[in-house]
Structures are given as structure tokens and as C-alpha cells.
Amino acid sequence: MGKLLYSVTMSLDGFIAGPGGDMSWLTPRIGPNPEVDALIGRIGALLVGNRTFRGDDPHRGTAKEGKPFGGGWEGPQFVLTHNPPDDPAPGITFVGDLRGGVAAAKAAAGDRYVNVLGASTARQCLEAGLLDEIFVCVAPVLLGDGVRLFDHPGGTDIGLERLGVTQAPLATTIWMRVVPDGRPS
């Protein structure tokens, strides 16, 4: 079965969204990135946090609005929420618990990645020992405030092992494996 992957773009100072969840900074600052394009082709399902699902779309006001990766990906989406909407969204399954959502997304993804979207959902997956890898695209901008890549005050260290680093014209990507015992091999 596939792996659970948290893929995210962050500012150089560690924010994945600006104040109030603003994502308007994102698309003009990452540029074309072959590593991201290759990753999108390896995703079999999405596990999306409720705040991310209902949040600010970096493609707002364009033809790409509301489409995963700006329309670059299609497939099963699972939204983790205790309050599903009264009118279900087409192609989206709402799940009420983390382990059930992960299991459903992994089954739908087959041998491909389940991509986790949302910092809070990724943190929950890390805490539960469910997250396998993290793919971070570092954009050349300092936001100064917003939603952090990983916010867990008082939490324990999460060990990571670097699998690869690549550079695109505007951004650098870092691919890491979560190390269960906290120490890289």
C-alpha cells in the first residue's frame, strides 16, 4: 500500500500560509518545478484537513480555483472533519476520524502516495506515527507571520532523514523520510 506524504510549500521563515490563512503569496513565487510536477504524477489520493479544504485558495479568481494543484491533479479526496457540509461536494469523501481517513485514502491510492494537505492534519498524522515522508518546497520569500509548517509547542522532536534536495529556478525542494525512532540511519 502507498505511503503517507505531507507535501507543502513554505516561506523561508517557515510559514505555509500568511496571516488568516492567506495563500496569495504562493503561486507567483514557486515558478515551474519539475520535482513538484513529478510528485503530482505519483499521488493517488488526497487527505485534506477541514481548514485547508475550506480555506484560502492560491488560485482564487482564476480558472484553476478549487482544483487540486491548480488543476494538475484529479482523483479521490478525503476531507478530515467532524462537521461535514449538508451538501456534499462531488468527488469528495468526508471522514470523521484520522485513522479511518488515512485507511480510506490509502486504499483509494493503491501503491501511490496519499498526499496530506494541511498543517494541522500533518501534525496529527505525525503524532499518530502515520506519516512516512515530507516534501517541502521552499519559496524565496519571508512572510513574517501566518501558519507554520509544523507547530507543536511542547512536543517531542520528530526525526527526519534527508532523501533528496533539488533546485528549480525559483524554489528549492527537500524530500525527507520520517524516522520512527527519531534518529536517521
Side-chain angles (χ1 to χ4, degrees):
M1 196 173 293
K3 294 180 179 179
L4 202 63
L5 170 77
Y6 178 35
S7 75
V8 63
T9 298
M10 70 172 212
S11 65
L12 196 57
D13 53 350
F15 295 101
I16 62 171
D22 176 49
M23 297 296 292
S24 63
W25 67 274
L26 178 66
T27 51
R29 290 198 169 84
I30 59 173
N33 189 322
E35 190 80 15
V36 172
D37 294 341
L39 170 63
I40 291 171
R42 297 171 61 193
I43 295 171
L46 300 179
L47 179 64
V48 185
N50 186 49
R51 187 176 346 165
T52 299
F53 175 72
R54 298 177 196 274
D56 191 19
D57 189 332
H59 299 285
R60 180 168 286 154
T62 73
K64 297 178 178 183
E65 183 175 351
K67 299 174 184 173
F69 299 101
W73 183 87
E74 289 185 20
Q77 299 179 54
F78 299 84
V79 175
L80 185 61
T81 181
H82 295 294
N83 300 302
D86 293 333
D87 298 322
I92 296 177
T93 301
F94 293 92
V95 293
D97 71 284
L98 180 66
R99 290 194 184 274
V102 167
K106 280 188 166 189
D111 62 350
R112 299 170 75 154
Y113 280 108
V114 172
N115 193 102
V116 176
L117 298 177
S120 176
T121 301
R123 180 185 45 76
Q124 291 174 58
C125 290
L126 276 166
E127 289 173 348
L130 300 172
L131 196 67
D132 298 298
E133 296 177 10
I134 300 173
F135 178 90
V136 179
C137 183
V138 183
V141 63
L142 297 169
L143 296 179
D145 192 9
V147 179
R148 290 215 171 267
L149 170 69
F150 181 68
D151 193 10
H152 190 66
T156 59
D157 292 351
I158 305 292
L160 303 172
E161 179 178 29
R162 188 178 65 210
L163 299 175
V165 176
T166 58
Q167 293 182 349
L170 294 179
T172 300
T173 57
I174 307 166
W175 200 308
M176 295 165 279
R177 181 177 68 86
V178 177
V179 181
D181 66 3
R183 291 184 304 274
S185 54

